[in-house]
Amino acid sequence: MAGKVHLIGAGPGAADLITVRGMRLLQQADAVLYDALVQPEMLDYCPQAVLIPVGKRCNKTSTAQRFINKMLLDAAHKYQRVVRLKGGDPMLFGRAQEELQALAQAGIACEVVPGITAALAASADAGVSLTSRGQARNVLFATARVGEGEAGSDWVRPVMAADTTVLYMGVKQAAEIAAALLAGGMRPDTPLLIVENASLPNAREWAMSLAELPQAAGWELAGPAILLVGEVYRAKQALADGLPLQGLG
Ligand code: SAH
């Protein structure tokens, strides 16, 4: 009989930011398939398990996803307790739907365990509320990235309407993102933050205005980075104003 799969959110990186439920399931797992964004320390919770790396940073092609789906099905046929460990929360920009669908079609039981998404960890590190009172009453989780073979996306419109926006997978496209937002009518002095490696000891953040964002495009960042945009970052941006941006390269 096929095993059961738990799709678990590993959280943003720090090994103690997984849920207690997620950690317990890792401790009992026979096999663990994990993404590139999952920190090695988290795998210390499951020394008994067969570890299967399936991550592919950035250019996640559909072929790669089909391959991951197949490895997941194979594992579920071979082991009773399978964990699929994904960075942050599995249901946000994590390709969870494809995997859930593949499992459902194969008649394999699956349960999702939520995790702390990068937006929340970045906000904690920055010490700025996504919904600072009087300034922001809504938050948009968005990406400007459009996958291979997908229809185009009008991501600028919802960003213009949101009080605070968190843009996933955007820093490499900083120049294009800035150009699109300026063309959409966003003010050049709109404050924003870039947070790299949120929740980890080597976390870094940069505050700047939208006009300055294109500089970030050339940075050689070592870890994942996220872009937070909105008036709630005005005070941070004012503090950083006039100081040279400490980019990397
Ligand atoms: N499911 C994940 C997101 C996967 S998409 C989640 O809920 O967080 C991958 C993107 O998430 C990265 O390109 C980056 O924008 C963001 N990200 C993930 N971990 C991060 C971290 N520790 N610090 C900053 N950004 C992070």
Side-chain angles (χ1 to χ4, degrees):
M1 219 189 91
K4 178 167 183 176
V5 175
H6 279 96
L7 213 62
I8 299 179
D16 56 354
L17 280 182
I18 188 172
T19 62
V20 174
R21 186 186 297 178
M23 183 191 66
R24 289 196 177 132
L25 287 162
L26 273 180
Q27 289 168 339
Q28 297 160 4
D30 300 317
V32 175
L33 291 87
Y34 63 97
D35 274 354
L37 277 180
V38 169
Q39 295 293 308
E41 293 75 40
M42 189 142 299
L43 301 175
D44 292 348
Y45 293 133
C46 50
Q48 79 290 348
V50 174
L51 300 178
I52 308 170
V54 293
K56 209 167 170 283
R57 286 273 315 265
C58 299
N59 96 71
K60 289 182 190 154
T61 64
S62 50
T63 332
Q65 186 59 48
R66 274 202 295 276
F67 185 60
I68 292 173
N69 294 351
K70 178 168 185 319
M71 296 220 283
L72 197 50
L73 296 184
D74 289 350
H77 284 120
K78 196 164 166 194
Y79 303 102
Q80 277 307 297
R81 286 164 296 199
V82 176
V83 166
R84 171 73 174 102
L85 195 57
K86 286 174 166 290
D89 181 87
M91 303 307 231
L92 260 181
F93 306 121
R95 299 257 185 163
Q97 208 59 46
E98 287 94 320
E99 295 178 20
L100 287 172
Q101 199 181 334
L103 290 165
Q105 274 169 3
I108 293 164
C110 182
E111 235 174 77
V112 180
V113 179
I116 296 176
T117 191
L120 305 184
S123 299
D125 284 359
V128 179
S129 169
L130 290 163
T131 54
S132 298
R133 209 153 79 93
Q135 286 187 306
R137 295 182 181 83
N138 56 66
V139 182
L140 174 70
F141 292 163
T143 186
R145 170 89 47 97
V146 176
E148 211 179 275
E150 293 171 9
S153 143
D154 182 9
W155 60 272
V156 173
R157 201 153 37 138
V159 175
M160 296 304 297
D163 290 340
T164 305
T165 295
V166 186
L167 270 183
Y168 286 71
M169 301 178 275
V171 177
K172 281 217 175 68
Q173 283 76 47
E176 292 88 332
I177 285 172
L181 290 175
L182 290 168
M186 190 176 273
R187 289 173 49 151
D189 73 340
T190 304
L192 58 92
L193 280 188
I194 293 176
V195 181
E196 180 199 22
N197 281 324
S199 86
L200 294 170
N202 57 351
R204 295 189 297 178
E205 72 169 53
W206 297 268
M208 64 193 82
S209 66
L210 177 60
E212 294 171 302
L213 176 61
Q215 303 177 44
W219 294 356
E220 290 284 334
L221 296 177
I226 200 161
L227 199 62
L228 304 108
V229 186
E231 281 306 316
V232 296
Y233 307 110
R234 176 74 60 191
K236 282 227 174 212
Q237 189 255 319
L239 273 180
D241 211 16
L243 298 174
L245 282 175
Q246 298 294 308
L248 303 172

